[in-house]
Amino acid sequence: MSPLASYRRLFSLAGPRYVLVAFVGRLPLAMSQMGTLLLVAGTTGSYALGGGAAGALAVANAVGAPVAGSLADRIGQRPVVLVQSLAGGVALLALVALAVSGRSPAVVIAAAAVAGAAMPQIGPLARVRWRPLTRGQGAAQPRLMETAFSYEGAADEASFVLGPALIGVLVVLVSPALAVSVAAVLLLAFGTAFALHPTAALAHAHRSTAAATGRLLTAAFGVLLGAQLLIGVLFGSIQTGTTVLTTAAGQPGIAGLVHASLGVGSVLAGLAVAGLPARFGFPSRVLVAALGLALLTTPLLVTDSVPRLFAVVLVLGFVIAPYMISVFVLGERAVPASRVGTAMTLLAAVTGVGYALGSAVAGRLADVHGHPGAFAVTVAAGSLAALLALAAQPVLRRVPVTGRMSGDDVGAVEGAPA
């Protein structure tokens, strides 16, 4: 089955309404961090407070997401995402009201944390729905699942390009308060629609009949958590380094566009992953993409102009989506079927933790060494990702091809004959 045929079949199974709802529903999370920073900084005149509020939102979301994912595995996505969407939307509107009314910084930061904890991770939860959606497709299901995860990786990257861009446009045209309010309205509308969509019940029905044996935190899943932590460090450090370099060049407003170019390359590569041959297994894809991260981050150490930075970051983006898609596919296969929601949200959460860690370390080094100091963190993250992928190949190749093996299962594994 060709990639285009796979995408057509996949989207026909889900329906255009689901594709639209699941994509737009993840935009508020992509909009909220930058929107909160600009909102709080604009109302208080302090970027430190703005960064503190945005950081509180991000950390609270990283902590709350696996809890919500675990709860969704037990009682279903519909009630969990519905409550989160309503609570998160109201919390964002409350954040706007508190910031605009000049409440104390502690109150505003606490409100940002509440909003972050309440917001659903729609991207990871959407991944959970594809396996039950593709049941009954026979021999085509493995290819359809690969295509689904390719699409989801590209959709996540696209959301983190379009979300901040939408915030930027609304801030320029009106105000940060309106920008965050739009994010709240989108969450209330599309988050609720995602929760109520029939695929939510389908996913829970699939879960309730699936085998629930086995542990979540296996050696393979531990490796995958480490892989996502490192990609988060890469994201955080490269954004910091980009901001430092463009500011030093007298073009601070270009930083967002440079970071968006990382997403553009990643979206294109993510969509193309569906065309890779099945014999090129996911453990091998993780390794090749990780080696690409190590190789393609190195030029950042000698990048000293904005045009050169654009070129380096754009090319780097082409290995990011293949890396993350492969990690998430292996994550879905490496855990019990009854705990896939927990696994997907955990992988997303550690990415956020890595982002915060990368930003913090890169910022400290940038204060002393400028943008090369920040980019040194990016290069270190890429190199560690390659070393981890190389060392973990024996573990990753034991992950089953079509789902987690029970103790008695002798099914095929990557790199072994069926």
Side-chain angles (χ1 to χ4, degrees):
M1 186 183 298
S2 70
L4 286 178
S6 295
Y7 278 114
R8 282 198 298 268
R9 191 162 174 182
L10 194 71
F11 294 154
S12 68
L13 289 171
R17 183 167 69 90
Y18 173 74
V19 174
L20 174 66
V21 164
F23 178 73
V24 180
R26 73 190 77 193
L27 285 179
L29 183 59
M31 297 168 68
S32 61
Q33 191 169 349
M34 179 177 286
T36 297
L37 188 154
L38 295 174
L39 170 69
V40 177
T43 54
T44 64
S46 170
Y47 279 101
L49 288 176
L57 185 146
V59 171
N61 187 258
V63 172
V67 177
S70 179
L71 191 59
D73 280 337
R74 291 199 299 270
I75 67 173
Q77 289 189 19
R78 176 166 292 168
V80 175
V81 178
L82 182 60
V83 170
Q84 282 191 296
S85 298
L86 296 173
V90 171
L92 284 176
L93 292 174
L95 174 62
V96 172
L98 291 170
V100 171
S101 64
R103 293 300 181 94
S104 70
V107 171
V108 173
I109 290 175
V114 170
M119 294 181 72
Q121 284 272 5
I122 287 179
L125 292 175
R127 287 172 169 86
V128 180
R129 300 188 184 187
W130 285 112
R131 186 167 292 281
L133 271 170
T134 55
R135 291 183 74 186
Q137 297 302 304
Q141 189 188 34
R143 183 50 119 181
L144 289 173
M145 284 298 296
E146 292 180 19
T147 303
F149 273 72
S150 297
Y151 165 73
E152 290 295 340
D156 279 346
E157 292 298 315
S159 73
F160 280 96
V161 173
L162 294 177
L166 181 57
I167 285 288
V169 170
L170 292 171
V171 167
V172 170
L173 294 180
V174 188
S175 70
L178 178 68
V180 177
S181 298
V182 168
V185 172
L186 288 177
L187 181 57
L188 289 169
F190 288 89
T192 299
F194 180 78
L196 297 178
H197 195 274
T199 53
L202 183 65
H204 190 53
H206 170 69
R207 174 260 172 218
S208 64
T209 59
T213 58
R215 294 181 296 122
L216 177 67
L217 294 177
T218 61
F221 193 66
V223 168
L224 299 172
L225 288 173
Q228 282 302 113
L229 180 74
L230 289 170
I231 202 70
V233 171
L234 186 147
F235 286 150
S237 59
I238 202 169
Q239 185 170 24
T240 300
T242 295
T243 302
V244 173
L245 192 155
T246 55
T247 300
Q251 299 174 284
I254 297 295
L257 293 177
V258 174
H259 200 65
S261 70
L262 184 75
V264 170
S266 192
V267 169
L268 295 175
L271 293 172
V273 164
L276 294 175
R279 63 180 178 273
F280 183 22
F282 285 95
S284 298
R285 295 183 194 185
V286 170
L287 177 59
V288 171
L291 291 172
L293 290 175
L295 177 65
L296 296 176
T297 54
T298 303
L300 288 168
L301 294 176
V302 293
T303 298
D304 56 4
S305 68
V306 173
R308 192 175 301 171
L309 181 62
F310 260 113
V312 173
V313 168
L314 178 65
V315 174
L316 176 60
F318 282 91
V319 295
I320 287 177
Y323 178 84
M324 293 182 65
I325 288 166
S326 301
V327 168
F328 271 94
V329 169
L330 289 170
E332 192 262 353
R333 296 176 175 181
V335 303
S338 59
R339 305 189 71 183
V340 174
T342 308
M344 296 296 99
T345 49
L346 264 174
L347 289 171
V350 296
T351 310
V353 172
Y355 183 95
L357 178 63
S359 297
V361 175
R364 287 184 176 274
L365 290 177
D367 285 340
V368 180
H369 302 290
H371 65 270
F375 287 143
V377 179
T378 310
V379 175
S383 299
L384 287 173
L387 291 173
L388 177 63
L390 184 62
Q393 283 298 294
V395 173
L396 295 181
R397 289 183 185 278
R398 289 197 293 270
V399 174
V401 171
T402 57
R404 184 178 176 85
M405 292 184 293
S406 67
D408 299 324
D409 197 344
V410 292
V413 296
E414 294 283 5

